Amino acid sequence: MKLIVEKNYENISRTAANIIADKVLAKPGIVLGLATGSTPIGTYKELIKMYKEGILDFSEVRSFNLDEYVGLDENNPYSYRYFMNENLFDHINIKKENIHVPDGKAENMDEYCKDYDRLIEKAGGIDVQILGIGENGHIAFIEPDTSLPIGTSVVELTEDTIVVNSRFFNSVDEVPRTAVSMGIGSILKAKSILLLANGRRKADAINSILECERISTEIPASFLLLHPDVTIIVDEEAYSKSK
Ligand code: F6R
């Protein structure tokens, strides 16, 4: 595991975008694993900037997002597909047919989830997976539990996550209780992983990985320690409990 400690959020975003940019330049048909939430917004802004400056070309890039709320479609401003359109896809030249965000309204969810993992495999697997981390140690929507889903699945959100994510909604009652999320196996199959975290409220979660001696399903992010190519980029606040 490689750890990069940056001064602040802007620096995390620039460093992450530079790592991703190098990979896109080296492999124009790269498969990106993408996350939503507050954390990657700055990285996406940097990537958009590089596209607008003519440094990056996304015309051959393929992408797979980690998760989506069950019941929301891309026209719903609270959906992750809408978020991705607003914060990245609408501003770069990625082809619509190369974008994959789990469908929160799929009819047969079990079949759909299996197909999502098959589609990733057919694309050659994820080259670089971008991750944020929940305050409770979740990655994607893989919540702390006594066991974790291996493949893409429908998952129940914990009360903690519902409350934390309610900041994106009008009220906590509007937050869906379930989501479609890649599983821990889907994530660990990525060739490389970039986990980003900023702010003091992520310090415990980051510390629980950095100080981890035994992986635990109660800290889903601890499974990343089994992966051979993980880079964690944090700011000083997120690192503050690990010094
Ligand atoms: C989002 C996702 C989540 C977030 C995590 C952190 O696609 O999978 O695991 O990365 O909840 O969210 P933020 O970045 O909003 O603090």
Side-chain angles (χ1 to χ4, degrees):
M1 190 186 73
K2 189 174 165 199
L3 173 71
I4 302 174
V5 182
E6 295 286 3
K7 198 148 195 59
N8 53 35
Y9 179 69
E10 285 67 40
N11 293 6
I12 293 179
S13 303
R14 223 168 292 131
T15 300
N18 286 337
I19 293 172
I20 297 162
D22 283 347
K23 288 181 187 278
V24 174
L25 290 170
K27 186 176 178 186
I30 194 169
V31 180
L32 296 179
L34 300 175
T36 56
S38 318
T39 312
I41 291 177
T43 305
Y44 295 155
K45 278 201 178 120
E46 292 291 330
L47 292 174
I48 292 167
K49 204 166 125 214
M50 288 188 233
Y51 164 69
K52 293 203 163 141
E53 287 167 355
I55 299 166
L56 286 183
D57 172 19
F58 290 87
S59 60
E60 299 303 319
V61 171
R62 291 158 297 160
S63 72
F64 288 87
N65 263 80
L66 287 168
D67 40 21
E68 177 62 279
Y69 290 111
V70 166
L72 306 192
D73 64 26
E74 75 172 298
N75 300 315
N76 188 315
Y78 300 129
S79 74
Y80 280 171
R81 174 57 193 250
Y82 191 96
F83 172 99
M84 288 307 300
N85 289 345
E86 290 264 295
N87 288 289
L88 184 65
F89 300 146
D90 285 352
H91 310 285
I92 58 175
N93 65 335
I94 190 166
K95 291 186 184 127
K96 252 197 160 102
E97 64 266 30
N98 287 342
I99 295 171
H100 306 88
V101 178
D103 180 357
K105 289 190 111 172
E107 266 181 28
N108 182 340
M109 267 301 176
D110 286 348
E111 226 11 77
Y112 179 80
C113 289
K114 283 189 197 118
D115 282 346
Y116 198 71
D117 283 322
R118 276 188 217 119
L119 219 56
I120 296 174
E121 224 165 277
K122 227 174 117 198
I126 290 169
D127 290 297
V128 54
Q129 176 66 58
I130 300 157
L131 295 176
I133 185 168
E135 289 171 44
N136 64 358
H138 77 204
I139 48 175
F141 270 139
I142 307 166
E143 301 280 36
D145 205 343
T146 49
S147 66
L148 304 179
I150 298 169
T152 299
S153 314
V154 174
V155 293
E156 303 251 329
L157 304 186
T158 60
E159 213 42 52
D160 294 357
T161 297
I162 290 167
V163 170
V164 169
N165 285 9
S166 66
R167 70 189 192 279
F168 295 111
F169 293 77
N170 283 325
S171 80
V172 72
D173 299 329
E174 287 183 23
V175 186
R177 267 40 192 170
T178 51
V180 198
S181 174
M182 278 194 205
I184 198 77
S186 325
I187 291 172
L188 290 178
K189 277 186 196 155
K191 293 174 190 99
S192 69
I193 295 176
L194 215 51
L195 178 115
L196 315 178
N198 65 288
R200 204 162 293 275
R201 60 191 184 88
K202 298 295 174 70
D204 282 324
I206 288 300
N207 195 45
S208 69
I209 312 177
L210 297 181
E211 303 274 295
C212 178
E213 285 178 359
R214 295 169 72 89
I215 57 167
S216 161
T217 57
E218 293 302 332
I219 308 165
S222 67
F223 279 74
L224 297 176
L225 295 164
L226 299 175
H227 193 281
D229 187 357
V230 178
T231 303
I232 298 184
I233 313 180
V234 290
D235 67 357
E236 285 174 359
E237 289 192 358
Y239 188 58
S240 57
K241 295 207 172 158
S242 311
K243 284 179 190 169

